[in-house]
């Protein structure tokens, strides 16, 4: 069939372009995260761990961060797609105090920074609500009192580890 043979090179080219686009997108995300880890501001946020086990996913710690109260209800899921931000400042040890919830782009005062909030199960959290670890390490990670983040100037953040009460990494 001549028309099918004529379409074959075009289809192969489209598949190759699609594969290239997927690789570029994935590598771009990896590059952004590596850059954030290397250049982001190190910040510790107090956490309240919960359930350390999932039968389907293996050992993990469900994380919960105490967000500041929001009298203006910015934490209601937005229709516009704009995410609220937790405004914080760090103490001399690098521990963040979450002060308030702000709309994106809201001005900050000196010494403050914003961390973008992420929707999760109808609520908001900082970056993620879980930390996965190898089987049998639950006892060590039960000592976690802080999530260790890297925060970019635009408020994007990445959870890079957990730390004990003395801010020592649990690895």
């Amino acid at each position: 069939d001549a028309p099918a043979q004529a379409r074959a090179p075009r289809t192969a080219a489209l598949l190759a372009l699609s594969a290239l686009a997927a690789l570029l997108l994935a590598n771009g995300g990896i590059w952004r995260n590596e850059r954030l880890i290397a250049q982001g501001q190190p910040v510790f946020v107090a956490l309240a761990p919960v359930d350390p086990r999932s039968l389907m996913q293996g050992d993990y710690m469900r994380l919960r961060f105490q967000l500041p109260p929001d009298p203006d209800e910015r934490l209601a899921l937005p229709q516009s797609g704009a995410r609220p931000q937790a405004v914080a400042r760090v103490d001399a040890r690098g521990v963040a105090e979450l002060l308030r919830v702000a709309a994106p782009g809201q001005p900050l005062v000196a010494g403050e920074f914003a961390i973008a909030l992420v929707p999760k199960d109808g609520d908001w959290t900082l970056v993620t609500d879980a930390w996965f670890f190898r089987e049998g390490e639950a006892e060590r990670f039960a000592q976690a009192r802080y999530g260790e983040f890297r925060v970019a100037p635009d408020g994007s953040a990445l959870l890079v580890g957990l730390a004990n009460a003395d801010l020592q990494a649990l690895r």
Side-chain angles (χ1 to χ4, degrees):
D1 178 313
Q5 287 178 344
R7 286 191 306 254
R10 188 172 40 200
T11 302
L14 285 173
L15 285 173
L17 282 174
S18 297
L20 180 63
L23 285 172
L24 288 174
L25 186 64
N27 284 323
I30 292 167
W31 178 79
R32 274 192 311 276
N33 286 344
E34 286 179 348
R35 188 169 158 210
L36 182 54
I37 289 169
Q39 298 176 358
Q41 174 185 357
V43 172
F44 294 92
V45 178
L47 56 87
V50 255
D51 187 13
R53 184 129 180 102
S54 166
L55 294 176
M56 298 299 287
Q57 297 170 305
D59 284 350
Y60 82 106
M61 181 170 287
R62 188 165 171 98
L63 305 176
R64 188 178 37 183
F65 302 96
Q66 185 64 45
L67 298 178
D70 181 28
D72 297 329
E73 297 184 14
R74 266 181 286 274
L75 292 177
L77 288 175
Q79 302 302 316
S80 67
R83 294 180 178 176
Q85 298 176 320
V87 175
R89 71 173 156 240
V90 293
D91 65 15
R93 297 182 338 144
V95 175
E97 176 188 4
L98 302 177
L99 304 170
R100 66 183 183 281
V101 175
Q106 185 174 348
L108 304 173
V109 299
E112 292 182 341
F113 64 95
I115 302 176
L117 297 175
V118 177
K120 184 71 175 176
D121 298 329
D123 206 358
W124 293 97
T125 190
L126 298 176
V127 181
T128 184
D129 68 346
W131 180 261
F132 292 86
F133 48 85
R134 287 190 296 259
E135 187 174 340
E137 295 185 354
E139 187 175 316
R140 181 163 47 103
F141 282 98
Q143 300 172 41
R145 297 296 174 263
Y146 294 92
E148 183 180 354
F149 293 86
R150 294 296 183 271
V151 182
D154 69 355
S156 60
L158 188 64
L159 178 66
V160 297
L162 297 180
N164 65 18
D166 297 323
L167 303 179
Q168 298 301 309
L170 299 173
R171 300 194 198 279

